[in-house]
Amino acid sequence: MKEIAKETEKNKSIVKKLIKWSSNIAIIILVVLVVTSLYSSFKSRNDPSYIPSVLGYKPMSVLTGSMDPTLKPGDMVIVKATDPNILKVNDVITYRVSNSTLITHRIIEITNEDQHLYFKTKGDANNTEDQRLISSEQVVGRLAFSIPKGGYIVNWIKSPLGLILLVILPITFLLVGEIKSIFSQVDKNKEANPKDDMEV
């Protein structure tokens, strides 16, 4: 019976450690998200051409149905910064048409004029190809993957409510974790040093 009790206590201890590690990792992720979101929000207000990037990957929201059914409005596209020289026909690329306007379309033809690369693009849902050729300098990157409806999450995070919740939630988790550890330490100290109620 004592061995079973010890084994049970050991299992409980392992579970508690796993929960603690998991909550610490979740808090770290939330803090990173908060800092990134705040920085991106601040930077994009001052510079409309700024696109947040994590290790060369840039998340963006799909606003139109020009790439339907491949990409739908509200999806999130993750674009990887790529050397334009390795792009191929059928690659989906995001390119800049102005400081604040980006388009994600498929390459249908690649041309080389005066030692400069140009791409002819077309939206999958469009009947006609895009009117202007895209220069290699306009290319932001190639589509790495997409997250259905993920764009709504990005837009929510960028909203004032999203930013507030992303700031309040990590702080709340941190405070609750710290308070629990303080009370746990107090309980352990009481068990280790029980007060002698007997008067001598």
Side-chain angles (χ1 to χ4, degrees), residues 154-172:
V154 172
N155 292 334
W156 179 80
I157 289 170
K158 288 180 180 177
S159 71
L161 177 62
L163 284 173
I164 288 166
L165 287 177
L166 278 177
V167 170
I168 289 170
L169 282 177
I171 290 171
T172 304

Side-chain angles (χ1 to χ4, degrees), residues 1-195:
M1 289 296 288
K2 284 182 180 179
E3 287 178 6
I4 294 169
K6 283 181 182 178
E7 191 67 31
T8 306
E9 284 300 317
K10 189 178 177 183
N11 290 338
K12 282 182 182 178
S13 176
I14 291 168
V15 170
K16 282 180 182 178
K17 284 180 182 177
L18 285 172
I19 291 169
K20 189 174 181 180
W21 274 101
S22 301
S23 63
N24 287 342
I25 290 166
I27 288 166
I28 290 166
I29 291 168
L30 282 169
V31 168
V32 169
L33 279 172
V34 169
V35 172
T36 306
S37 298
L38 288 171
Y39 176 76
S40 298
S41 179
F42 176 76
K43 186 84 173 168
S44 59
R45 283 177 188 168
N46 293 334
D47 180 10
S49 65
Y50 172 76
I51 305 167
S53 175
V54 179
L55 301 174
Y57 290 89
K58 304 176 181 188
M60 288 171 268
S61 300
V62 177
L63 301 177
T64 71
S66 65
M67 281 296 290
D68 192 44
T70 308
L71 302 169
K72 297 179 182 295
D75 288 354
M76 181 197 295
V77 292
I78 309 298
V79 175
K80 177 77 167 73
T82 308
D83 179 358
N85 292 298
I86 66 169
L87 293 172
K88 308 181 298 294
V89 171
N90 277 332
D91 281 344
V92 176
I93 60 168
T94 296
Y95 57 90
R96 194 180 294 282
V97 291
S98 71
N99 273 347
S100 57
T101 306
L102 299 165
I103 293 177
T104 301
H105 278 175
R106 193 179 300 279
I107 297 172
I108 59 170
E109 189 180 323
I110 301 173
T111 59
N112 199 324
E113 296 177 14
D114 301 325
Q115 295 184 337
H116 284 304
L117 272 179
Y118 291 93
F119 304 95
K120 188 176 282 187
T121 56
K122 177 182 175 294
D124 289 357
N126 295 347
N127 294 323
T128 57
E129 62 197 32
D130 299 332
Q131 291 182 351
R132 295 180 181 178
L133 291 174
I134 307 305
S135 70
S136 56
E137 289 81 13
Q138 291 176 265
V139 176
V140 173
R142 176 172 56 191
L143 177 69
F145 60 94
S146 63
I147 303 171
K149 307 302 178 187
Y152 293 121
I153 297 168
V154 172
N155 292 334
W156 179 80
I157 289 170
K158 288 180 180 177
S159 71
L161 177 62
L163 284 173
I164 288 166
L165 287 177
L166 278 177
V167 170
I168 289 170
L169 282 177
I171 290 171
T172 304
F173 279 123
L174 281 169
L175 287 173
V176 168
E178 285 302 313
I179 290 166
K180 278 186 177 179
S181 65
I182 289 166
F183 278 115
S184 176
Q185 193 62 42
V186 168
D187 288 342
K188 282 180 184 176
N189 290 342
K190 281 182 180 176
E191 287 173 10
N193 304 309
K195 290 181 180 178

